[in-house]
């Protein structure tokens, strides 16, 4: 610590720090950095090992390089009539050989760059060299001018941090600020309310993540911070779970008359996994505390029947059961399914969506026992007298927030969340960590074989013939397209345009069209006709990806398949293979995208949703995978670590321990109470 300088509190306003200019305080605030602790959390984006620089590359095409050299020439240049750019030639200070001693740097649309780069300066460059007519060029390199004022430097001869840019503050200055801060920050004030790793002081971890002596050191420090972040996440999860269990629920499911009649009415045997899950659910419902359970199973694994069994148990105990679907199409489809199976048992089923109301019974016969609707149902308390069980058909769209809102509203029904989209196991613990889990890992028997074929140069005539053959045999087909309307940018054959073509190609058959721009009524009308067989081939966008169940449809042709995400492709493919017929999923692509081919090859190789989910995580990274889920994860700074199950488990164990020791966080861990985020209610209408 510097003699004579006061220690800095992590929460002090930046304006109170003597080494920051007022202009800098404003620049930092604009970037959202208001206190020393914000700066400490502003972790390096990458590091440069400036103990040795890369050799000036002899050719383009390699990875990014970090070079040290001297600017020997710089000028403004024109590029076309109006566009200017700034160019600087940087020469290897050590004198390279064989012409590999020079690179040309270019900056476009950066009018102020000439004030920063000038001939004679010694600079450090970072970027990817490319070839421009035999010249090595780096466009928009990151660069830093070397200014040595003697003495040991934090900018040279060591591993230096490179931060995300803060507008108005140079990298070099930001590094200085961080360095001063780390020297003067009060280490005692950095000790957190709950230390996930008391053997590794937090102040030390900050020093090592900003100014590591070795990259492994920075890595270890990041792990510590990731663990802290996971701990906060898991503490919330464990807290929610505990709070759910605080509520008194009711004992349901002791009477099984309806369930037995239901079993007798089924034309098939339930799978072992279905039976096991129902058993788990029954045991849970019979507990006096409310059930909070996730039913996870791949598309077509028979979740609906498990849900029906649970709902029958609830109504046999004299209360109502509700099923929430994410879209109107799905709500209506569930209604038909439930009507088919439950009406013969004398159960009163009703459908409620924004667009529609339908009942299997007359009003005078009594209240509906089973209510099916979109998520909006949840917020209409007038519909329920006595809600005992809520089944949420989730498809990723229904978050933690809504689940808690159910509980917050006073009644505490049993909750069963069904999810068809397989989630990588590493993420289940986080996203659904507050739920108990039942898994359907077995496909019902009697399903036809499923063949997935990847075709890079399919002839339209052959594709058409294949479709016709299937329709001729009495089957139905999905013809899937990625876009609704012609987009110049993507040049994809849009669904609307394709629809017209397919009508001609398949003359004699009824072709339908469904896409996201239709309103719910129109969509449902088309789906109904496809379901009852009066439409033979359905041209569709990914709107059909969720839940649609037409067992006679055995063929799906996915055009421009590389444009879809893996999870989406898997959902789409799940629409077929639901009947006894052999099914075909044909993935059409031009084969030009390597990433696309990697994805599609996974689809061709496996139909196991969990494997696909893990591959998806691997290919896209957790950030993107999570981005498509409503996860309640907020923005993790250390999302890279999401793939790190071990760390997540460690955090879970710590959180479990804390809640066990102090269930309400009012005793020894009261300092952690502030980490609990009460979920905020959000609107969930999607139709
Ligand atoms: P999920 O909701 O998991 O996608 P569903 O419950 O909709 O699956 O079931 C998919 C299809 O499989 C439906 O057509 C259903 O009738 C059928 N099915 C469900 N369980 C069985 C079973 N045990 N044996 C045979 N067919 C089943
Ligand atoms: Mg389903």
């Amino acid at each position: 610590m510097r003699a004579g300088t006061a220690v800095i509190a992590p929460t002090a306003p930046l304006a109170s720090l003597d080494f920051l200019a007022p202009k800098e305080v404003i620049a930092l605030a604009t970037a959202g950095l208001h206190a020393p602790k914000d700066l400490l959390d502003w972790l390096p984006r990458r590091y440069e090992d400036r103990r040795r620089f890369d050799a000036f590359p002899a050719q383009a095409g390699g990875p990014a390089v970090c070079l040290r050299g001297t600017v020997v020439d710089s000028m403004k240049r024109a590029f076309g009539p109006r566009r200017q750019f700034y160019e600087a030639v940087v020469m290897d200070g050590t004198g390279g050989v064989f012409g590999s001693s020079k690179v040309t740097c270019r900056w476009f649309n950066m009018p102020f760059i000439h004030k920063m780069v000038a001939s004679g300066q010694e600079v450090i460059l970072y970027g990817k060299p490319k070839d421009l007519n035999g010249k090595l060029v780096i466009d928009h390199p990151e660069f830093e001018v070397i200014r040595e004022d003697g003495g040991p430097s934090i900018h040279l001869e060591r591993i230096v941090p490179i931060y995300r840019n803060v507008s108005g503050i140079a990298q070099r200055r930001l590094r200085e600020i961080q360095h001063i801060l780390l020297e003067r920050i009060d280490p005692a004030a950095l000790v957190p309310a709950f230390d996930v790793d008391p053997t590794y002081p937090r102040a030390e971890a900050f020093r090592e993540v900003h100014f590591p002596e070795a990259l492994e050191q920075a890595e270890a420090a990041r792990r510590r911070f990731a663990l802290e972040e996971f701990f906060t996440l898991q503490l919330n999860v464990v807290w929610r779970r505990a709070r759910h269990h605080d509520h008194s629920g009711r004992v349901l499911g002791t009477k099984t008359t309806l369930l037995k009649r239901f079993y007798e009415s089924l034309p098939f045997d339930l799978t072992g996994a279905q039976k096991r899950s129902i058993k788990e659910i029954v045991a849970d419902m019979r507990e006096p505390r409310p059930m909070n359970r996730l039913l996870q199973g791949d598309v077509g694994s028979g979740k609906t029947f498990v849900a029906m069994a649970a709902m029958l148990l609830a109504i046999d105990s004299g209360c109502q059961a509700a099923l929430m679907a994410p879209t109107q199409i799905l709500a209506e489809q569930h209604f038909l399914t439930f009507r088919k199976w439950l009406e013969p048992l004398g159960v009163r089923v009703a459908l409620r969506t924004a667009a529609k109301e339908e009942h299997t019974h007359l009003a005078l016969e009594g209240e509906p026992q089973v209510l099916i609707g979109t998520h909006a149902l949840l917020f209409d308390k007038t519909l329920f007298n006595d809600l005992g069980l809520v089944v949420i058909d989730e498809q990723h769209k229904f978050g933690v927030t809504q689940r808690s809102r159910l509980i917050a509203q006073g009644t505490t029904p049993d909750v069963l969340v069904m999810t068809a989209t397989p989630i990588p196991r590493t993420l289940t613990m986080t996203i659904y960590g507050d739920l108990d889990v039942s898994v359907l890992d077995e496909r019902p028997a009697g399903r036809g074989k499923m063949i997935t074929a990847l075709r890079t140069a399919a002839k339209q005539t052959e594709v058409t013939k294949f479709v016709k053959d299937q329709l001729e045999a009495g089957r139905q087909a999905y013809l899937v397209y990625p876009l609704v309307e012609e987009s110049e940018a993507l040049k994809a054959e849009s669904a609307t345009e394709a629809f017209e073509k397919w009508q001609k190609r398949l003359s004699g058959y009824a072709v339908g069209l469904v896409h996201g721009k239709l309103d719910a009524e129109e969509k449902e009308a088309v789906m109904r006709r496809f379901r009852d067989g009066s439409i033979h081939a359905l041209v569709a966008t990914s709107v059909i990806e969720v839940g649609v169940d037409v067992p006679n449809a055995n063929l799906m042709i996915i055009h421009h398949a590389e444009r879809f995400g893996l999870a989406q492709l898997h959902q789409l493919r799940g629409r077929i293979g639901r009947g006894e017929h052999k099914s075909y999923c044909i993935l059409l692509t031009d084969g030009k995208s390597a990433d696309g081919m990697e994805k599609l090859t996974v689809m061709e190789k496996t139909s196991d949703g969990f494997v696909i989910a893990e591959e998806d995580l691997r290919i896209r990274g957790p950030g993107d995978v999570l981005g498509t889920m409503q996860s309640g994860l907020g923005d993790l700074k250390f999302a890279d670590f999401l793939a790190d199950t071990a760390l997540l488990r460690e955090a879970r164990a710590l959180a479990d321990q804390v809640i066990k020791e102090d269930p309400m966080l009012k005793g020894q861990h009261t300092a952690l109470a502030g980490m609990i985020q009460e979920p905020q209610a959000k609107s969930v209408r999607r139709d």
Side-chain angles (χ1 to χ4, degrees):
M1 200 170 299
R2 281 185 194 173
T5 48
V7 291
I8 295 173
T11 51
L14 291 183
S16 70
L17 304 183
D18 53 9
F19 60 93
L20 289 179
K23 240 170 48 186
E24 291 175 328
V25 173
I26 292 170
L28 291 167
T30 309
L33 306 171
H34 304 285
K37 67 176 174 48
D38 301 333
L39 272 160
L40 295 184
D41 280 346
W42 193 258
L43 298 192
R45 183 167 57 79
R46 62 182 181 88
Y47 300 91
E48 275 179 11
D49 188 346
R50 295 185 179 172
R51 290 167 302 189
R52 59 161 289 285
F53 290 90
D54 292 316
F56 273 55
Q59 62 198 31
V65 288
C66 184
L67 309 175
R68 178 176 179 165
T70 308
V71 179
V72 293
D73 201 4
S74 59
M75 73 215 79
K76 266 194 196 136
R77 283 175 169 277
F79 168 67
R82 293 237 297 282
R83 291 189 58 195
Q84 290 200 329
F85 63 95
Y86 190 71
E87 189 179 278
V89 180
V90 177
M91 188 93 130
D92 187 347
T94 63
V97 283
F98 307 125
S100 61
S101 61
K102 260 197 321 199
V103 294
T104 302
C105 303
R106 304 191 301 175
W107 290 271
F108 298 86
N109 302 320
M110 288 180 67
F112 298 109
I113 198 81
H114 70 276
K115 292 189 183 158
M116 296 187 252
V117 184
S119 296
Q121 280 173 340
E122 213 187 324
V123 292
I124 294 167
L125 296 174
Y126 178 82
K128 256 189 184 164
K130 61 181 190 187
D131 184 274
L132 196 78
N133 307 323
K135 225 168 36 172
L136 275 185
V137 171
I138 303 182
D139 283 336
H140 290 269
E142 292 177 28
F143 79 98
E144 198 174 312
V145 177
I146 299 176
R147 275 185 279 126
E148 280 316 281
D149 32 22
S153 170
I154 58 167
H155 309 292
L156 274 178
E157 303 304 329
R158 61 171 305 145
I159 297 173
V160 300
I162 308 290
Y163 297 98
R164 267 181 293 150
N165 282 326
V166 172
S167 172
I169 299 190
Q171 261 312 318
R172 188 186 160 88
R173 175 62 183 149
L174 192 54
R175 194 176 301 131
E176 274 165 12
I177 293 171
Q178 295 282 33
H179 199 258
I180 298 171
L181 210 53
L182 283 161
E183 277 191 326
R184 290 176 47 189
I185 197 94
D186 177 7
L190 287 178
V191 177
F194 180 83
D195 200 344
V196 294
D197 184 2
T199 64
Y200 186 11
R202 207 149 173 268
E204 192 176 319
F206 275 122
R207 271 196 303 276
E208 295 185 345
V209 81
H210 286 281
F211 293 94
E213 271 157 31
L215 290 175
E216 297 77 58
Q217 222 177 38
E219 196 58 23
R222 269 176 200 271
R223 258 187 86 87
R224 188 209 146 89
F225 296 125
L227 184 58
E228 286 179 5
E229 204 163 30
F230 279 158
F231 172 74
T232 308
L233 211 65
Q234 288 299 319
L235 187 69
N236 275 279
V237 161
V238 175
W239 168 269
R240 270 200 306 275
R241 187 186 160 89
R243 293 299 74 78
H244 196 98
H245 286 173
D246 286 346
H247 287 83
S248 51
R250 54 213 276 190
V251 175
L252 296 177
T254 36
K255 192 169 163 223
T256 55
T257 321
L258 267 175
L259 187 65
K260 287 195 186 107
R261 285 178 49 215
F262 174 60
Y263 283 163
E264 281 158 19
S265 74
L266 289 178
F268 47 72
D269 289 331
L270 293 177
T271 64
Q274 282 172 317
K275 286 182 197 153
R276 174 167 33 85
S277 297
I278 293 171
K279 241 192 213 141
E280 288 163 358
I281 290 167
V282 175
D284 222 357
M285 289 175 71
R286 286 178 180 166
E287 290 285 327
R289 56 166 175 73
M291 172 167 80
N292 202 18
R293 183 170 285 274
L294 175 71
L295 177 63
Q296 206 180 2
D298 216 339
V299 280
S301 57
K303 290 183 292 298
T304 318
F305 288 81
V306 175
M308 265 189 249
M311 292 168 97
L312 287 172
L313 283 169
I315 61 182
D316 226 357
S317 300
C319 47
Q320 292 174 300
L323 175 78
M324 322 263 174
T327 65
Q328 300 213 12
I329 288 187
L330 286 182
E332 300 201 11
Q333 185 180 283
H334 276 309
F335 178 66
L336 294 179
T337 310
F338 275 66
R339 160 173 240 169
K340 172 173 168 195
W341 297 101
L342 302 190
E343 202 174 12
L345 306 179
V347 174
R348 300 187 295 275
V349 187
L351 170 74
R352 267 310 171 97
T353 68
K356 219 171 198 172
E357 241 186 81
E358 228 178 289
H359 300 261
T360 57
H361 58 283
L362 302 170
L364 55 90
E365 290 172 310
E367 296 271 331
Q369 293 162 295
V370 168
L371 253 159
I372 293 171
T374 42
H375 290 152
L377 253 195
L378 184 57
F379 302 103
D380 189 351
K381 285 282 140 184
T382 60
L383 287 178
F384 307 109
N385 266 339
D386 185 17
L387 186 58
L389 170 71
V390 180
V391 177
I392 299 168
D393 187 357
E394 143 133 332
Q395 321 277 7
H396 277 171
K397 306 296 192 303
F398 200 80
V400 166
T401 315
Q402 286 78 32
R403 292 205 300 270
S404 343
R405 175 125 186 224
L406 263 178
I407 302 161
Q409 291 201 341
T411 54
T412 309
D414 283 336
V415 174
L416 181 68
V417 180
M418 302 196 281
T419 175
T421 314
I423 297 160
R425 280 173 247 269
T426 45
L427 297 184
T428 317
M429 203 177 5
T430 305
I431 300 172
Y432 295 109
D434 57 332
L435 307 183
D436 297 305
V437 181
S438 292
V439 181
L440 293 182
D441 49 8
E442 200 179 324
R443 285 176 76 76
R447 295 284 170 80
K449 214 169 129 70
M450 161 92 78
I451 291 169
T452 299
L454 175 54
R455 293 287 176 267
T456 47
K459 290 207 184 65
Q460 185 58 56
T461 48
E462 285 167 15
V463 175
T464 305
K465 179 170 184 316
F466 193 74
V467 177
K468 270 190 172 159
D469 286 348
Q470 293 302 317
L471 300 190
E472 189 61 34
R475 304 285 79 74
Q476 286 164 282
Y478 295 101
L479 309 165
V480 181
Y481 287 83
L483 286 174
V484 181
E485 267 156 24
E486 177 69 19
S487 144
E488 266 306 302
L490 284 171
K491 291 233 164 52
E493 194 177 12
S494 75
T496 313
E497 200 180 286
F499 169 61
E500 281 154 25
K501 290 190 189 155
W502 278 107
Q503 277 184 313
K504 292 194 191 103
R505 287 174 196 147
L506 301 176
S507 64
Y509 293 100
V511 181
L513 171 67
V514 62
H515 56 67
K517 297 235 167 114
L518 298 180
D519 67 34
E521 273 300 308
E522 294 172 305
K523 246 189 257 175
E524 181 43 34
V526 177
M527 291 315 297
R528 196 178 298 124
R529 291 180 56 217
F530 189 60
R531 230 164 10 226
D532 70 23
S534 54
I535 286 176
H536 305 111
L538 185 63
V539 175
T541 59
S542 57
V543 291
I544 53 147
E545 94 187 56
V546 276
V548 172
D549 185 19
V550 182
N552 188 47
N554 74 325
L555 170 61
M556 176 172 287
I557 299 194
I558 306 183
H559 300 78
H560 309 285
E562 76 284 351
R563 300 251 165 89
F564 294 89
L566 254 183
Q568 211 177 15
L569 287 169
H570 179 65
Q571 284 295 311
L572 283 168
R573 182 171 59 184
R575 299 309 109 218
I576 57 171
R578 303 185 143 239
E580 80 245 50
H581 310 286
K582 192 166 170 181
S583 297
Y584 304 89
C585 177
I586 317 259
L587 306 167
L588 299 181
T589 174
D590 57 16
K592 283 184 189 147
S593 141
D595 290 355
M597 289 304 282
E598 186 181 3
K599 226 165 32 184
L600 299 180
T601 311
V602 171
M603 286 296 294
E604 205 178 19
K605 267 198 315 240
T606 181
S607 58
D608 182 329
F610 287 105
V611 174
I612 288 173
E614 306 274 353
E615 286 290 315
D616 198 26
L617 185 67
R618 187 181 60 75
I619 294 173
R620 286 199 296 156
D624 282 346
V625 174
L626 285 171
T628 60
M629 302 182 188
Q630 188 182 5
S631 59
L633 279 176
D635 41 1
L636 281 181
K637 293 195 206 93
F638 309 95
D640 283 5
F641 282 93
L642 268 178
D644 192 339
T645 332
L647 205 61
L648 205 54
R649 280 189 207 290
E650 205 177 321
R652 177 58 175 253
L654 288 169
D656 277 335
Q657 183 65 25
V658 164
I659 296 289
K660 201 170 137 206
E661 287 167 1
D662 184 3
M664 297 308 293
L665 300 179
K666 282 187 173 152
Q668 67 195 107
H669 295 300
T670 188
L672 296 185
M675 283 164 73
I676 302 298
Q677 297 167 335
E678 292 304 335
Q680 267 119 50
K682 268 190 283 187
S683 168
V684 288
R685 282 287 301 280
R686 281 190 69 254
D687 286 335

